[in-house]
Amino acid sequence: MATAITIAPQARASYIALSVIARRCISSSSLRPSSTNFRRSDFASQGFTGSYDPNEPTAGPLADTPIIGAPVVTPKSLKQHLDQYVVGQERAKKVMSVSVYNHYLRVSEIQRREDEEQQKLQQRLRREKNSQIHPVEDEYPGHQETIPLHPPTESISVPPLADASALNLDKTNILLLGPSGVGKTLMARTLAKVLQVPFSMSDCTPLTQAGYIGEDAQVCVERLLAAANYDVEATENGIIVLDEVDKIAVSRTATGKDVGGEGVQQALLKIIEGTTLYIQAKNDKPSTKPNQLGESTGSSGSSYFGGKYPSSSAGGSVGSASAGSSKGETYTVRTDNILFVFTGAFIGLNKVILDRVSKGSIGFGSPIRSSSSINPENPEMLLSVKRGSEESKIFEKNLPFFCNAAPGEDVQYNPLDLVEPTDLQKFGLIPEFTGRIPVTVALSALDEDALVRVLTEPRNSLVKQYEQIFQLSGIELRFTSGALREIAKSSLGMGTGARGLRTCIERLLSEAMFEAPGSGIKHILITEAVAQKTEPPIYLARGQQHKFNALLAAEEDAWHAKAQGNPEGGQNQVTSSFEEYREKSKAAGVM
């Protein structure tokens, strides 16, 4: 017969008290903060994997990790990409690559901070949702909240103010100085295309002060918004090029109010520094047609610095709206992270610079003006000065970079390299405007050798373009070295830089482009005499490939002999080495 076990009331009370204490210890240990920054609830919705494939996207909690620390591009890689499109301008390409790289590192860091704050907010919400209630309060309904053992003590003294915000990284705008046709706009457009960010270019000439006939200063941001297919996030990380900025210099008018000069500069101050603009979208139809660069304004591409950016349009015209945009829709765009690139020829600024760096106009204090030869027909050309002379000392004293040259060697100096904010103020820019553009870099005018390189070396060179145009009709077009040199000479006399090369080639090939397509002509040779307009182009029919190559090789031999000072040895020159034979074979198109 089983005997009933009786428990004393004192023992029962002790057992209940011990069980409550045990529950309290277990719950407090489970709620104790971990030594790491993560909790198990943070990864509740993310799966883990036991293997890692570098060719596939990362899975698990590291899927959204930013790529900061392992950049895809570097300033050197950007400069190497610019070398494929822009000839010369080494210092300008380096400064441009560094400035663009630093700007988008800043944009990426700001994006990383925002993502981190968003993740912390989501973690805090998950923790509050999954937090457990105190066991005593759960066991005894209506029980009051537990009194904290160590309540916070109020200090009598006022605590010091502390700013917990992260370090602020300011942006750096760029000013490119140089004559027309040296590659100012091409560099900005090339970098914007390779980084796959929205890009727009606006002319400062039609800009006027708000309330007057003309375009307002914020039209440049409107064009960037349209180039980004009305994506505000992509617009706030784009590039805006303001061309002909020298045309908004201060000018004295009879009315006393300069609405197209100082008024525009005042309107641009807040925009380039960073402000919030309210832009009303125009009632344009959505467009997915390819733009001038062959890109679709409706498609999106990935950026090297993270995120998805739409393809940028070449001219940034306000003609491509998204399907959701309608008349009266307003967009809020912040310009804090938009990179502004200003370009201008600044004709006459070199004289202002030389007046500043020279000690005087007469006597012993005028070394620059006394011996430097400035070409009056092309004053933007470089100044040739011997290293170690009085002129070179003055230039080196004012140069913003180190000049690495041997003593006694001729050094080419660009007067625009010595530009200072005071020179720009004398030209007509207000101090507030110049102070917001800390980086200033000058581009040199292209000489004859540089123009020859422009014809052949860039990825989209003019010679390759016209050869491709004739190749589409089944015609082979070739230029000799002498013809390229004559084309460069003709373009140099136009004073329009590299833009004059297309004019010269169009004049030479206009007749050939009319006669050759659809005829029996299969080979066209442009020689030095043809470029000098003393002979017509050489046309050869099908089956005369050998004669075409022989004529080309003979022209090249004559040109090299003339360049070496032996005009009689061009036809009878004998190949003396295998390397020379190989060079001639390449010139003739055999190899």
Side-chain angles (χ1 to χ4, degrees):
M1 180 177 179
T3 60
I5 300 176
T6 60
I7 301 177
Q10 295 83 359
R12 183 179 182 86
S14 300
Y15 175 78
I16 294 175
L18 290 176
S19 63
V20 171
I21 294 174
R23 288 184 183 180
R24 185 178 304 174
C25 294
I26 295 174
S27 62
S28 61
S29 62
S30 62
L31 295 176
R32 186 177 302 167
S34 175
S35 59
T36 62
N37 296 329
F38 303 98
R39 300 199 178 197
R40 181 176 297 275
S41 61
D42 298 338
F43 311 112
S45 60
Q46 302 182 19
F48 290 88
T49 177
S51 61
Y52 174 70
D53 188 359
N55 297 325
E56 295 183 358
T58 305
L62 299 180
D64 298 331
T65 304
I67 62 174
I68 301 299
V72 180
V73 296
T74 60
K76 289 185 178 180
S77 62
L78 292 177
K79 198 260 181 183
Q80 292 174 358
H81 184 76
L82 286 176
D83 291 337
Q84 302 178 12
Y85 296 90
V86 183
V87 172
Q89 319 296 353
E90 296 298 324
R91 179 174 176 268
K93 288 188 287 190
K94 290 181 180 179
V95 173
M96 191 73 177
S97 301
V98 170
S99 299
V100 172
Y101 177 75
N102 291 339
H103 173 74
Y104 280 100
L105 279 185
R106 171 182 171 273
V107 171
S108 301
E109 175 64 16
I110 294 175
Q111 183 66 30
R112 185 192 66 81
R113 292 176 182 176
E114 294 177 356
D115 295 342
E116 184 177 355
E117 291 295 331
Q118 187 68 20
Q119 291 178 3
K120 290 182 178 179
L121 178 61
Q122 294 178 359
Q123 291 177 7
R124 186 168 66 252
L125 294 177
R126 285 197 300 266
R127 291 170 186 173
E128 294 176 355
K129 181 179 180 181
N130 300 329
S131 61
Q132 298 180 1
I133 305 177
H134 198 277
V136 176
E137 299 175 4
D138 192 12
E139 186 172 357
Y140 300 97
H143 193 277
Q144 296 182 357
E145 295 183 0
T146 307
I147 300 176
L149 299 178
H150 303 283
T153 59
E154 297 182 358
S155 177
I156 300 177
S157 60
V158 178
L161 297 178
D163 187 6
S165 60
L167 180 66
N168 187 24
L169 302 176
D170 296 331
K171 67 177 179 179
T172 303
N173 299 313
I174 310 171
L175 173 61
L176 301 180
L177 308 172
S180 176
V182 295
K184 301 186 297 294
T185 308
L186 180 60
M187 283 197 297
R189 183 177 299 174
T190 303
L191 288 178
K193 186 176 180 181
V194 69
L195 297 177
Q196 297 181 356
V197 295
F199 170 83
S200 72
M201 186 177 67
S202 301
D203 197 348
C204 293
T205 305
L207 298 182
T208 57
Q209 193 174 354
Y212 292 86
I213 297 176
E215 297 180 350
D216 294 340
Q218 69 176 12
V219 71
C220 58
V221 183
E222 295 179 6
R223 291 172 179 168
L224 182 65
L225 180 63
N229 204 10
Y230 289 88
D231 186 351
V232 177
E233 183 180 359
T235 302
E236 293 177 347
N237 297 325
I239 296 178
I240 293 179
V241 176
L242 293 176
D243 200 5
E244 304 293 343
V245 70
D246 53 327
K247 303 303 185 295
I248 61 173
V250 177
S251 60
R252 304 302 175 187
T253 59
T255 58
K257 191 167 186 180
D258 186 13
V259 298
E262 185 177 359
V264 177
Q265 296 184 44
Q266 294 287 352
L268 287 173
L269 292 182
K270 285 297 181 181
I271 296 178
I272 64 179
E273 186 178 13
T275 186
T276 302
L277 298 178
Y278 300 96
I279 300 175
Q280 185 174 2
K282 295 184 179 180
N283 189 17
D284 294 331
K285 297 180 180 180
S287 173
T288 57
K289 296 181 180 179
N291 54 23
Q292 297 177 4
L293 293 178
E295 303 167 348
S296 176
T297 57
S299 62
S300 61
S302 60
S303 171
Y304 279 123
F305 296 95
K308 291 286 185 178
Y309 295 141
S311 302
S312 58
S313 80
S317 60
V318 191
S320 57
S322 62
S325 66
S326 60
K327 185 177 180 179
E329 187 173 358
T330 303
Y331 296 89
T332 303
V333 180
R334 290 196 58 84
T335 62
D336 301 79
N337 299 329
I338 297 178
L339 178 63
F340 287 87
V341 180
F342 300 89
T343 64
F346 288 89
I347 300 174
L349 182 61
N350 56 342
K351 298 180 181 179
V352 177
I353 297 173
L354 292 178
D355 289 338
R356 176 178 57 86
V357 300
S358 60
K359 297 180 180 179
S361 58
I362 60 175
F364 296 99
S366 59
I368 293 181
R369 293 304 180 89
S370 60
S371 58
S372 293
S373 59
I374 301 178
N375 187 3
E377 298 180 357
N378 194 359
E380 292 83 7
M381 295 298 291
L382 302 179
L383 302 179
S384 180
V385 181
K386 286 187 176 295
R387 180 74 185 279
S389 61
E390 293 295 330
E391 296 181 4
S392 65
K393 292 180 180 178
I394 295 178
F395 274 106
E396 293 170 6
K397 179 182 178 181
N398 295 275
L399 278 177
F401 54 90
F402 175 72
C403 180
N404 187 13
E409 183 181 355
D410 288 340
V411 182
Q412 301 289 335
Y413 290 104
N414 185 5
L416 294 178
D417 284 332
L418 312 179
V419 67
E420 294 290 341
T422 55
D423 302 325
L424 297 175
Q425 294 172 20
K426 290 181 180 179
F427 188 84
L429 300 183
I430 60 178
E432 298 86 353
F433 188 78
T434 58
R436 287 168 169 79
I437 311 175
V439 176
T440 303
V441 59
L443 283 77
S444 305
L446 301 177
D447 56 2
E448 185 177 325
D449 294 334
L451 291 176
V452 174
R453 294 176 57 193
V454 170
L455 284 171
T456 56
E457 293 184 6
R459 186 174 181 179
N460 298 327
S461 64
L462 289 177
V463 172
K464 296 177 182 177
Q465 294 181 26
Y466 281 95
E467 287 179 352
Q468 180 67 21
I469 290 175
F470 278 89
Q471 187 66 33
L472 295 177
S473 300
I475 302 171
E476 182 181 3
L477 173 67
R478 298 295 295 271
F479 293 86
T480 62
S481 300
L484 297 177
R485 181 68 60 172
E486 288 296 327
I487 294 173
K489 287 181 180 179
S490 301
S491 176
L492 188 62
M494 295 181 180
T496 57
R499 292 188 176 94
L501 296 173
R502 183 176 292 274
T503 302
C504 297
I505 296 180
E506 286 288 342
R507 291 176 180 176
L508 286 178
L509 300 179
S510 60
E511 190 68 22
M513 287 188 290
F514 177 77
E515 296 289 345
S519 63
I521 300 174
K522 295 301 177 183
H523 307 282
I524 300 177
L525 182 61
I526 305 298
T527 62
E528 182 180 4
V530 176
Q532 293 175 351
K533 300 181 181 62
T534 58
E535 294 181 2
I538 300 176
Y539 302 113
L540 297 176
R542 186 186 300 273
Q544 295 181 325
Q545 178 73 33
H546 180 72
K547 182 179 179 180
F548 179 74
N549 294 334
L551 289 174
L552 180 59
E555 288 289 338
E556 292 293 334
D557 292 341
W559 164 254
H560 289 297
K562 182 180 179 181
Q564 296 174 2
N566 183 20
E568 299 296 335
Q571 300 294 336
N572 300 325
Q573 190 175 4
V574 181
T575 304
S576 58
S577 63
F578 176 75
E579 289 78 8
E580 187 176 355
Y581 173 77
R582 182 171 57 184
E583 294 296 332
K584 290 184 178 181
S585 300
K586 288 182 179 180
V590 178
M591 297 182 63

